[in-house]
Amino acid sequence: MISRLSLNQWTTRNWSLEEAVAGCVRHGIPAIGVWREQLHECGLERAVKLLADSGLRVSSLCRGGFLTAGGEEALAGNRRAIDEAAALGAPCLVMVVGGLPGVPPGGAPGPGFSRSLAGARERVAEALAELAPYAGERGVRLALEPLHPMYCADRAVLSTLAQALDLAEAHPVEQVGVVVDTFHVWWDPRLPEQIARAGARIASYQVCDWLQPLPADVLLGRGMMGDGVIDFPPITAAVAAAGYTGDIEVEIFNADIWAADPDEVLATMKRRFAATVV
């Protein structure tokens, strides 16, 4: 399974794209999930050459989304992200769809605030109708990522795999899929049946652990596999049974991991992946 291991760049957040690519090559990690922040620092043209020369697969581009804000600006930003994913040869653009209108990530309600969850989800559906054909024409799949319900207000009004699939199924499978991220969905009692339902719509499988207790900043509650409470093998087996054969990304938001030596993080990641995920 190491042949399917991918480093999601946010796990080594302080590395540039150049450093992350070199780290993957050094540690024999065959794929990388690219983040747009580091991509823009590197420059798209340079990044395309860097990745091609490295021989690494690009498992995803993170991230597009934040569709609940509405308007042409959000659509235009996502079209740019789709174009970047196409240039990199990324099979999918991970979509964090956005929270309630007027609630910035990690912030308090502000201008344009609305409490209407139904209205926010309708905005997501309307934006997907605009973006899905554009992505399909460029060979990129929009990968809807449901986030744990504690992020519903400010980051994602899609909280379950079932909700993500309800939206995805309105579009061709090659245009819109879903992300199975263990941190966000491990708790869901309907997870096995929804993974089976997802089938070919699984565009990305991401893993990290749920730390208990969570830190004060719950965004940073992701841990290295084996350091938390998630039972990975049943989820991995369900994803495999659904037909997913793509890369498996390790995506960790954790202040201690970000402060550690990234080479040590990658070495630990490889060991824990082999010992716990499969």
Side-chain angles (χ1 to χ4, degrees):
M1 290 286 279
I2 293 297
S3 64
R4 295 174 60 195
L5 174 60
S6 176
L7 169 69
N8 182 288
Q9 254 195 292
W10 220 242
T11 302
T12 53
R13 180 181 178 180
N14 295 323
W15 261 353
S16 66
L17 180 57
E18 295 91 335
E19 290 170 325
V21 166
C24 286
V25 172
R26 197 160 55 244
H27 288 268
I29 296 169
I32 186 168
V34 176
W35 271 69
R36 295 183 72 206
E37 285 84 347
Q38 287 93 337
L39 173 64
H40 294 166
E41 290 172 1
C42 179
L44 182 58
E45 185 175 348
R46 183 181 178 197
V48 168
K49 185 178 188 305
L50 173 72
L51 289 159
D53 290 347
S54 73
L56 297 180
R57 298 186 299 273
V58 178
S59 52
S60 72
L61 179 63
C62 293
R63 60 194 176 183
F66 293 93
L67 304 172
T68 54
E72 182 54 37
E73 184 177 352
L75 294 174
N78 278 282
R79 291 189 191 101
R80 288 192 295 271
I82 291 165
D83 292 341
E84 291 165 359
L88 293 174
C92 67
L93 174 66
V94 174
M95 302 289 285
V96 176
V97 298
L100 292 171
V103 183
F113 169 58
S114 169
R115 289 185 171 86
S116 175
L117 266 176
R121 289 168 180 152
E122 183 59 30
R123 286 190 180 192
V124 175
E126 291 170 355
L128 283 176
E130 293 285 337
L131 294 170
Y134 185 91
E137 290 169 0
R138 287 150 184 80
V140 175
R141 185 148 57 150
L142 304 179
L144 302 178
E145 182 171 14
L147 269 56
H148 189 278
M150 65 183 170
Y151 302 117
C152 187
D154 67 338
R155 286 183 169 86
V157 294
L158 300 181
S159 300
T160 66
L161 192 55
Q163 288 176 319
L165 286 168
D166 287 346
L167 284 182
E169 287 170 352
H171 305 278
V173 68
E174 67 273 12
Q175 293 182 7
V176 184
V178 296
V179 180
V180 177
D181 183 321
T182 55
F183 180 81
H184 292 302
V185 301
W186 71 275
W187 58 274
D188 187 346
R190 298 182 61 199
L191 184 59
E193 69 187 75
Q194 293 304 315
I195 290 175
R197 172 189 169 192
R201 288 201 183 264
I202 300 176
S204 179
Y205 179 35
Q206 296 180 336
V207 297
C208 71
D209 220 330
W210 176 285
L211 298 180
Q212 186 62 34
L214 289 170
D217 184 350
V218 294
L219 187 67
L220 306 185
R222 293 169 172 254
M224 187 65 71
M225 297 80 67
D227 286 348
V229 301
I230 295 178
D231 187 12
F232 292 96
I235 303 175
T236 300
V239 169
Y244 182 74
T245 58
D247 293 312
I248 303 174
E249 290 187 9
V250 176
E251 183 187 57
I252 303 174
F253 294 31
N254 182 292
D256 291 336
I257 287 175
W258 290 341
D261 179 348
D263 278 297
E264 292 183 5
V265 171
L266 263 59
T268 301
M269 184 180 83
K270 285 182 65 177
R271 291 194 303 271
R272 296 289 187 88
F273 182 84
T276 65
V277 174
V278 298

